Amino acid sequence: MSTSGSLTPSRRGILAAGGALGIGALLAACGGGKDSAGANGDAKPWSFTDDRKQKVSLQHTPRRIVAFTGTAAALHDFGIDDQIVGVFGPTKLKNGKPDPQAGDLDVDKVTIIGNAYNQFNVEKYAALRPDLLVTNMYEPGALWFVPDDSKDKIAKLAESVALTSSRTPLIKIIERYAELAGSLGADLKAKKVTDAKARFEKASAALRKAAKAHPVKVLACSGSPDLFYASNPGINADLMYYKSLGVDLIVPDHLDKGGYFESLSWENADKYQADVLLLDNRTATLQPKDLAAKPSWAKLPAVKAGQITPWSSEPRFSYAGAAPLIESLAKAIEGAKKVK
């Protein structure tokens, strides 16, 4: 997952002066405080220990969850649906269609409290009377897409759960999502879930077979107007998993701070000789049609050979979300040849 400054929108304040007073008024109107939905008499207490090692305890299973869009989509894949009342993060494209990160989530059923980084609307969040906020955690203790300048206000409105999203293989993160979904009431033995898991396992076996039969070098990368990023398979969860299945992923030798990638000038985009390019397909990054005008891109052997395949660098942490990505990579490797 790239967290390059050039790919992450600049941070900016989202609360006007006096915003804190507005939040206080909303809290008062909603009954205020955490767990404001209220527990019915026979509800069982709920608790979950997240990847910050923080135990969250409520009087009842959360009924009103607000989550990062990709997190909500993953929970939806496991069967959590009506409890998700709001989302933040890339949810709708400019044309009104769901952002790929929304997966199969019905984006018209949830309240969008921010469609991009640093657009988290705290007043709208408070009005939802949330029991729980759930999001990813790419860096220890940092809640993904929760703005630094309003995180303290947000924390006062509901408990939060953060699940790690890097430095751990994809499969382990999916298992943690399953654990959380199960605690929230999902039936992990439902056909929808078991079918998705079977597809994931079949795709993984196919990728392992393809990697063994076609030992091509793969570079996970991302393009911006000024820089070409070579991503690190030692920190990105999906790349770690692909590498464990035998995919020969190139490891950059001069990583930037944070360890996610090495940033290269376009003049040096050919530093690593890859047979296949796994190209970041997020809307904030440049795609092949955008990159075609860059001479150094066109000269890359993998580009000349047409061996480029999309990379969802922020995967959905569910069996249903990950299986198609693994299938796509397996197919790309099966059809690839060494370029030198």
Side-chain angles (χ1 to χ4, degrees):
M1 212 299 303
S2 291
T3 54
S4 159
S6 64
L7 301 182
T8 303
S10 59
R11 296 175 177 240
R12 58 187 182 277
I14 63 169
L15 295 178
L21 291 174
I23 295 168
L26 273 170
L27 275 173
C30 295
K34 296 172 182 177
D35 209 22
S36 61
N40 56 36
D42 58 358
K44 293 181 180 180
W46 177 87
S47 68
F48 185 85
T49 301
D50 74 359
D51 291 341
R52 296 171 295 182
K53 306 302 180 187
Q54 293 183 10
K55 184 176 181 178
V56 178
S57 298
L58 297 175
Q59 295 177 6
H60 58 83
T61 302
R63 301 170 188 145
R64 300 183 65 78
I65 298 170
V66 175
F68 171 67
T69 303
T71 300
L75 291 174
H76 178 271
D77 288 339
F78 284 110
I80 300 301
D81 189 11
D82 292 340
Q83 291 150 274
I84 299 172
V85 296
V87 295
F88 54 95
T91 307
K92 283 188 177 182
L93 301 174
K94 290 180 180 179
N95 60 11
K97 293 183 179 179
D99 187 279
Q101 289 200 56
D104 296 326
L105 188 70
D106 186 345
V107 297
D108 293 321
K109 277 181 57 179
V110 294
T111 297
I112 301 171
I113 62 174
N115 199 56
Y117 189 80
N118 232 5
Q119 289 183 0
F120 194 115
N121 187 313
V122 186
E123 287 86 354
K124 192 178 285 189
Y125 176 60
L128 285 174
R129 297 175 291 112
D131 294 324
L132 186 69
L133 181 147
V134 188
T135 190
N136 294 332
M137 184 173 65
Y138 284 95
E139 292 300 317
L143 302 187
W144 190 234
F145 268 67
V146 174
D148 284 343
D149 56 6
S150 53
K151 65 182 181 182
D152 292 341
K153 297 181 179 72
I154 293 166
K156 293 176 182 176
L157 298 171
E159 298 283 5
S160 63
V161 162
L163 296 183
T164 191
S165 306
S166 65
R167 301 177 178 84
T168 302
L170 177 70
I171 183 65
K172 296 297 183 183
I173 299 176
I174 291 175
E175 288 169 356
R176 280 290 278 159
Y177 266 86
E179 185 182 349
L180 175 59
S183 80
L184 293 170
D187 179 5
L188 301 181
K189 294 182 179 179
K191 189 174 187 300
K192 170 186 173 182
V193 179
T194 57
D195 282 356
K197 186 176 182 180
R199 181 180 174 184
F200 175 90
E201 291 171 345
K202 183 179 179 181
S204 298
L207 180 55
R208 186 188 296 276
K209 183 179 178 181
K212 187 175 182 179
H214 304 271
V216 292
K217 286 191 174 295
V218 180
L219 178 65
C221 56
S222 186
S224 75
D226 300 320
L227 295 169
F228 179 70
Y229 300 94
S231 292
N232 179 15
I235 197 169
N236 292 273
D238 54 343
L239 303 182
M240 290 177 74
Y241 183 61
Y242 302 158
K243 198 168 180 66
S244 76
L245 295 175
V247 177
D248 187 2
L249 279 154
I250 292 171
V251 181
D253 58 24
H254 192 68
L255 297 170
D256 292 8
K257 184 179 178 181
Y260 283 95
F261 51 79
E262 176 179 357
S263 56
L264 299 164
S265 64
W266 276 106
E267 291 77 12
N268 295 313
D270 60 352
K271 177 177 178 180
Y272 300 106
Q273 296 301 308
D275 301 306
V276 176
L277 295 179
L278 189 57
L279 183 67
D280 191 342
N281 68 351
R282 289 176 299 165
T283 52
T285 65
L286 299 184
Q287 299 309 300
K289 61 180 176 59
D290 308 309
L291 294 166
K294 292 189 175 293
S296 50
W297 168 261
K299 290 178 182 177
L300 294 177
V303 174
K304 288 181 179 179
Q307 295 181 171
I308 308 165
T309 191
W311 174 35
S312 297
S313 64
E314 288 184 44
R316 202 160 87 238
F317 295 113
S318 67
Y319 298 115
L325 308 182
I326 300 171
E327 290 168 350
S328 175
L329 181 56
K331 185 176 180 181
I333 290 177
E334 284 169 0
K337 297 178 180 178
K338 284 190 170 292
V339 294
K340 283 192 176 182

